[in-house]
Amino acid sequence: MPFTFENHHNVVFGDCDPAGIVYYPNIYRWMDGTFQRFLQQYGGHAAVCEHLGAVGLGLMETHAKYRRPLKDGDALTIRMEITEWSAKSYRLIHRGYVGDDLAFEGTEVRALFEHRDGRMRAGEVSRLKTYLESRSEP
Amino acid sequence: MPFTFENHHNVVFGDCDPAGIVYYPNIYRWMDGTFQRFLQQYGGHAAVCEHLGAVGLGLMETHAKYRRPLKDGDALTIRMEITEWSAKSYRLIHRGYVGDDLAFEGTEVRALFEHRDGRMRAGEVSRLKTYLESRSEP
Amino acid sequence: MPFTFENHHNVVFGDCDPAGIVYYPNIYRWMDGTFQRFLQQYGGHAAVCEHLGAVGLGLMETHAKYRRPLKDGDALTIRMEITEWSAKSYRLIHRGYVGDDLAFEGTEVRALFEHRDGRMRAGEVSRLKTYLESRSEP
Amino acid sequence: MPFTFENHHNVVFGDCDPAGIVYYPNIYRWMDGTFQRFLQQYGGHAAVCEHLGAVGLGLMETHAKYRRPLKDGDALTIRMEITEWSAKSYRLIHRGYVGDDLAFEGTEVRALFEHRDGRMRAGEVSRLKTYLESRSEP
């Protein structure tokens, strides 16, 4: 069963740099924000972590390809999907569209961080998957 | 005739600081973003400036009072109003609500910056007001 | 005895907006960052809060006047001073300079937030002052 | 001849998220900022673009691996190197260290964007390389 979410952002002047196009770290903010809004359906990042005894659902790796510049006034739609579950990480794809045009395509590889033996470690992610599945067929 | 605009933002994890509440510079980003979305109704910041021969609709002064902490998951509504026109500046009030609760109240004092005599100066803002009025009764 | 701190930031392209000047919420990021670096001398925000049994040293009110546009390449110096202690808040002034030119002048009114009776409240700030004083004359 | 640059950032509270570690889009801001400071040695982004008749030195692709969480108080050093020149792009590696510990490793693939035939296109980057080389042996 796929985990997907669709998010929207109206690009504004302040998202852009002196070349007049979106400053690229903002694209990562919108990717992360889309995942966080997905989690809000399950109570939000803090509630999910508390349920799982985790510290955070942080990042191991991120990547993006920029296909088309984004500008002030663009109505951006971001479509997220969790595409892969490994033992200690899971992979999300985020695609940003303005109308039918693909503006960017990004990947987040996330973990489930726990405190163990006095340091932060990546734990098994299967229980996150199980938890999300148990909540998504009400 | 009042110039008003209403904008929305779903607060996410990444908007917040280690205390778990919104990092306050983001509140100014949302205030500015609300004004920019207001301008998008008139073609956007670049088009309005080009029409008026201006460089930018930048800031002289900003202020905010924080009434209630904002958190991951809050559905924020920002209501903007231009409340005062002076010779070389105009004043905007932004009020941020979560439901009926006022979360912040902010002010922006903006100018109409022009290049003149080799430097950037604040010009007369009456022509911005006239331009907005001429476009808002279609 | 005055509490002061001096911080530096080299303004870069990505700090600026399509008009080529610094996007103003970044100025508040640098003001807050200057206060946080001041706190790092005392162990940092988390350590100071833990010592005082507080949740955070958050904001009640902020303000800034912009005197001169900042641009890519400007070497910015921010001079902070705590200028006033009230019962439940304290006031900081931040002045940003490029060389001898004042670029902005800002104010932060901060509190000492505590959890009490199930909600977050502003507590007495005298013990923060006492703590900082006790540590600054080693 | 290698093009390298070393940049520094003191991580502050506001760079971090509710899990208390750096919010990852900020890492991309610091990577971009390191490249922009590299360019400041040659007059800065705007001057280099003007010299080359280009619109911007924007991104085609970015990537980062996070090796170790960054926190409030960490003194971060970012070492950048341009590692590869292709026909229409060049590749930069950014490595972020706290002391000897590698905190992140990132890549930016950048282009030289030009306006041509009414749209923005990636042009030949050899003239950027030639320009930088001509300036780096004074």
Side-chain angles (χ1 to χ4, degrees):
Chain A
M1 202 192 57
F3 294 108
T4 60
F5 193 76
E6 184 172 302
N7 200 6
H8 299 276
H9 177 72
N10 292 288
V11 177
V12 288
F13 181 82
D15 296 326
C16 302
D17 67 19
I21 66 174
V22 162
Y23 177 51
Y24 85 84
N26 287 328
I27 288 174
Y28 286 103
R29 287 204 300 114
W30 301 329
M31 285 167 49
D32 183 76
T34 300
F35 176 65
Q36 302 299 340
R37 294 212 61 210
F38 164 77
L39 289 182
Q40 287 175 4
Q41 299 174 304
Y42 303 87
H45 188 281
V48 171
C49 284
E50 193 181 345
H51 179 85
L52 299 173
V55 178
L57 301 169
L59 279 304
M60 308 193 73
E61 190 174 345
T62 56
H63 174 257
K65 284 198 179 181
Y66 311 101
R67 304 295 191 178
R68 168 194 183 290
L70 288 163
K71 300 191 175 178
D72 183 19
D74 282 345
L76 177 66
T77 296
I78 301 154
R79 298 200 183 101
M80 181 209 97
E81 184 175 358
I82 302 182
T83 57
E84 200 184 315
W85 293 86
S86 303
K88 299 201 172 177
S89 69
Y90 49 106
R91 179 178 295 264
L92 298 84
I93 304 285
H94 298 265
R95 288 189 182 86
Y97 292 92
V98 177
D100 291 334
D101 291 337
L102 182 65
F104 64 82
E105 190 165 21
T107 304
E108 293 181 313
V109 180
R110 289 183 176 267
L112 182 70
F113 290 107
E114 309 169 315
H115 273 307
R116 220 172 43 210
D117 311 331
R119 41 173 297 208
M120 210 162 79
R121 290 165 186 282
E124 300 286 333
V125 301
S126 56
R127 60 212 171 96
L128 171 63
K129 182 166 183 283
T130 302
Y131 178 66
L132 297 178
E133 281 170 349
S134 73
R135 302 278 305 259
S136 56
E137 295 177 38
Chain B
M1 201 191 59
F3 295 108
T4 62
F5 193 76
E6 185 173 301
N7 199 7
H8 300 276
H9 176 73
N10 293 288
V11 176
V12 289
F13 181 82
D15 296 327
C16 301
D17 66 20
I21 66 174
V22 162
Y23 178 51
Y24 85 83
N26 287 328
I27 288 174
Y28 286 104
R29 289 205 299 114
W30 302 330
M31 285 167 50
D32 184 77
T34 300
F35 176 65
Q36 302 300 339
R37 293 211 60 210
F38 165 76
L39 289 182
Q40 286 174 6
Q41 299 174 301
Y42 302 88
H45 187 280
V48 171
C49 284
E50 193 180 346
H51 180 85
L52 299 174
V55 177
L57 301 169
L59 279 306
M60 307 192 73
E61 190 173 345
T62 56
H63 174 258
K65 285 199 178 181
Y66 311 101
R67 304 294 190 178
R68 167 196 186 288
L70 289 163
K71 299 192 175 178
D72 183 19
D74 281 344
L76 176 65
T77 297
I78 301 154
R79 297 200 184 102
M80 181 210 97
E81 183 176 358
I82 302 183
T83 56
E84 199 184 316
W85 292 87
S86 303
K88 299 201 172 175
S89 69
Y90 49 107
R91 179 178 295 264
L92 299 83
I93 304 286
H94 299 265
R95 289 190 181 85
Y97 292 92
V98 177
D100 291 334
D101 291 337
L102 182 65
F104 64 84
E105 191 164 22
T107 305
E108 293 182 313
V109 180
R110 289 183 176 268
L112 181 70
F113 289 108
E114 309 170 315
H115 272 307
R116 219 169 45 207
D117 310 330
R119 42 173 297 210
M120 210 162 78
R121 291 165 184 282
E124 300 285 333
V125 300
S126 56
R127 60 211 171 98
L128 171 62
K129 183 166 183 283
T130 303
Y131 178 66
L132 297 178
E133 281 170 350
S134 72
R135 301 277 306 259
S136 55
E137 296 177 36
Chain C
M1 203 193 57
F3 295 108
T4 60
F5 193 76
E6 184 173 302
N7 200 7
H8 299 276
H9 176 73
N10 293 287
V11 177
V12 288
F13 181 81
D15 296 326
C16 302
D17 66 19
I21 66 174
V22 162
Y23 177 51
Y24 85 84
N26 287 327
I27 287 174
Y28 286 103
R29 287 204 300 114
W30 302 330
M31 286 167 48
D32 183 76
T34 300
F35 175 65
Q36 302 299 339
R37 294 212 59 210
F38 164 76
L39 289 181
Q40 287 174 5
Q41 298 173 303
Y42 302 87
H45 188 280
V48 171
C49 285
E50 192 181 347
H51 179 85
L52 300 173
V55 178
L57 301 168
L59 279 304
M60 308 193 72
E61 191 173 344
T62 55
H63 174 257
K65 285 198 179 180
Y66 310 101
R67 303 295 190 177
R68 169 194 184 289
L70 288 163
K71 301 192 174 177
D72 183 18
D74 282 344
L76 177 65
T77 297
I78 300 154
R79 298 201 183 101
M80 180 209 98
E81 184 177 356
I82 303 183
T83 56
E84 198 184 317
W85 293 88
S86 304
K88 299 200 173 177
S89 70
Y90 49 107
R91 179 178 296 263
L92 299 84
I93 304 285
H94 299 265
R95 289 190 182 85
Y97 292 91
V98 177
D100 292 333
D101 291 337
L102 182 65
F104 63 84
E105 191 164 20
T107 305
E108 293 182 313
V109 180
R110 289 183 176 268
L112 182 69
F113 289 109
E114 309 169 313
H115 273 306
R116 221 170 43 209
D117 311 331
R119 41 175 298 212
M120 211 162 78
R121 291 165 185 283
E124 300 286 333
V125 301
S126 56
R127 60 212 171 98
L128 171 62
K129 182 165 183 283
T130 302
Y131 178 65
L132 297 178
E133 280 169 351
S134 72
R135 304 275 307 257
S136 54
E137 294 177 39
Chain D
M1 203 194 57
F3 295 107
T4 60
F5 192 77
E6 185 173 301
N7 199 7
H8 300 277
H9 177 73
N10 293 287
V11 176
V12 288
F13 180 82
D15 296 326
C16 301
D17 66 20
I21 65 174
V22 162
Y23 177 51
Y24 85 83
N26 287 328
I27 288 175
Y28 286 104
R29 288 203 299 114
W30 301 329
M31 286 167 48
D32 183 76
T34 300
F35 176 65
Q36 303 298 339
R37 293 211 62 210
F38 165 77
L39 288 182
Q40 287 174 6
Q41 299 174 304
Y42 302 88
H45 188 279
V48 171
C49 284
E50 192 180 347
H51 180 85
L52 299 173
V55 178
L57 301 169
L59 279 305
M60 307 192 72
E61 191 173 344
T62 57
H63 174 257
K65 285 199 178 178
Y66 311 101
R67 304 294 190 178
R68 170 195 183 290
L70 289 163
K71 302 191 173 177
D72 183 18
D74 281 345
L76 176 65
T77 297
I78 301 154
R79 296 200 184 101
M80 180 209 98
E81 185 176 356
I82 303 182
T83 56
E84 200 184 315
W85 293 87
S86 303
K88 298 200 172 175
S89 69
Y90 50 107
R91 178 178 297 262
L92 299 84
I93 304 285
H94 299 265
R95 289 190 182 85
Y97 293 91
V98 177
D100 291 334
D101 292 337
L102 182 65
F104 64 84
E105 190 164 22
T107 305
E108 294 182 312
V109 180
R110 290 183 176 269
L112 182 69
F113 290 108
E114 309 169 314
H115 274 306
R116 219 171 43 209
D117 310 331
R119 41 174 299 209
M120 210 162 79
R121 291 165 184 283
E124 300 285 334
V125 301
S126 56
R127 60 211 170 98
L128 172 62
K129 183 167 184 281
T130 302
Y131 178 65
L132 297 177
E133 281 170 349
S134 72
R135 303 275 307 257
S136 55
E137 295 177 36

